[in-house]
């Protein structure tokens, strides 16, 4: 819920947009609805803000469409994997063979709770292991990245994509979420 001051600022922004003389009706510009307190208005979404604010599959679609419009091939992005999908992946020996598993939690976290097949590469040591990761791992093989709640692994996954990795998966909810579907994995 926005404060009264925030609502007033939003209304001023809406008034400024309305009075700017731009004719958005004749352009193919998306609209986003802003609501604050009892105030609400619609404002145009420009390309940069739409890319910044959309997440998940919508963000990938916007980036891919933008790349295609500019004649580029779609850039790889981090894909999200649920813990159920991870469990299914880890139960299939053929898929385990064709997957690289990285755990970016710290050593004490790994000793408290861990999953098989995951190689420990603590995110605090990224400056040390980051430069050599390209030589040690295959950038074309599926890479699954895990942490406690899925945030550090998202950053590590984005790092890998920036280094040319094409098939990178972040585990949504991390090992904490995995412990709910597999009670043998301790929570901490």
């Amino acid at each position: 819920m926005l404060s009264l001051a925030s609502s007033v600022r939003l209304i001023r922004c809406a008034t400024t947009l309305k009075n700017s003389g731009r004719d958005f009706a004749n352009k193919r510009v998306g609209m986003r609805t802003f609501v604050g307190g009892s105030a609400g208005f619609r404002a145009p979404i420009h390309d940069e803000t739409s890319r910044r604010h959309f997440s998940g599959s919508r963000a990938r679609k916007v980036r891919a469409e933008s790349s295609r419009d500019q004649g580029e091939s779609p850039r790889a992005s981090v894909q999200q994997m649920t813990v159920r999908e991870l469990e299914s992946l880890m139960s299939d020996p053929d898929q385990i063979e064709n997957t690289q598993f990285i755990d970016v939690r710290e050593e004490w976290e790994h000793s408290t709770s861990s999953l098989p097949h995951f190689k420990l590469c603590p995110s605090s040591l990224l400056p040390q292991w980051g430069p050599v990761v390209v030589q040690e791992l295959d950038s074309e093989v599926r890479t699954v990245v895990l942490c406690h709640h899925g945030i550090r692994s998202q950053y590590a996954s984005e790092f890998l994509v920036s280094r040319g990795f094409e098939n990178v998966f972040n585990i949504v909810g991390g090992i904490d979420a995995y412990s709910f579907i597999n009670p043998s994995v301790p929570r901490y």
Side-chain angles (χ1 to χ4, degrees):
M1 182 66 110
L2 295 174
S3 68
L4 180 60
S6 297
S7 296
V8 170
R9 280 191 294 257
L10 290 173
I11 292 170
R12 284 184 187 150
C13 289
T15 305
T16 303
L17 283 173
K18 182 179 177 185
N19 295 332
S20 67
R22 295 183 183 175
D23 181 16
F24 292 108
N26 294 330
K27 294 183 181 179
R28 296 182 71 182
V29 177
M31 301 295 280
R32 173 170 283 125
T33 303
F34 295 91
V35 178
S38 61
F41 64 92
R42 293 174 61 77
I45 300 174
H46 300 287
D47 285 339
E48 289 303 313
T49 55
S50 65
R51 283 192 204 106
R52 210 174 318 126
H53 293 293
F54 287 127
S55 61
S57 63
R58 175 67 180 139
R60 286 190 292 275
K61 182 178 177 185
V62 168
R63 282 192 294 270
E65 288 172 358
S66 174
S67 297
R68 265 185 261 125
D69 292 344
Q70 296 172 3
E72 303 170 8
S73 61
R75 196 179 84 196
S77 63
V78 176
Q79 301 173 57
Q80 303 301 315
M81 180 182 284
T82 66
V83 291
R84 295 238 183 251
E85 292 170 333
L86 175 63
E87 183 179 48
S88 169
L89 172 80
M90 292 178 64
S91 65
D92 184 354
D94 292 332
Q95 288 195 20
I96 290 173
E97 264 317 294
N98 300 317
T99 305
Q100 303 170 119
F101 297 94
I102 300 175
D103 185 344
V104 295
R105 296 175 302 139
E106 299 303 314
E107 283 188 44
W108 70 268
E109 293 176 287
H110 189 267
S111 63
T112 302
S113 178
S114 62
L115 296 178
H117 314 295
F118 278 87
K119 177 183 178 183
L120 182 63
C121 298
S123 59
S124 64
L125 301 177
L126 180 65
Q128 293 171 4
W129 65 260
V132 296
V133 73
V134 177
Q135 291 131 8
E136 291 182 11
L137 300 174
D138 186 350
S139 64
E140 295 178 4
V141 174
R142 174 180 34 213
T143 306
V144 177
V145 186
L146 173 79
C147 72
H148 190 198
H149 288 115
I151 297 169
R152 288 176 284 175
S153 58
Q154 176 68 30
Y155 290 127
S157 298
E158 290 171 1
F159 171 80
L160 292 172
V161 167
S162 75
R163 295 294 187 259
F165 283 71
E166 299 171 0
N167 203 6
V168 181
F169 291 85
N170 175 47
I171 304 301
V172 178
I175 198 166
D176 189 57
Y178 189 82
S179 67
F180 283 105
I181 63 167
N182 186 346
S184 68
V185 176
R187 293 189 71 206
Y188 63 96

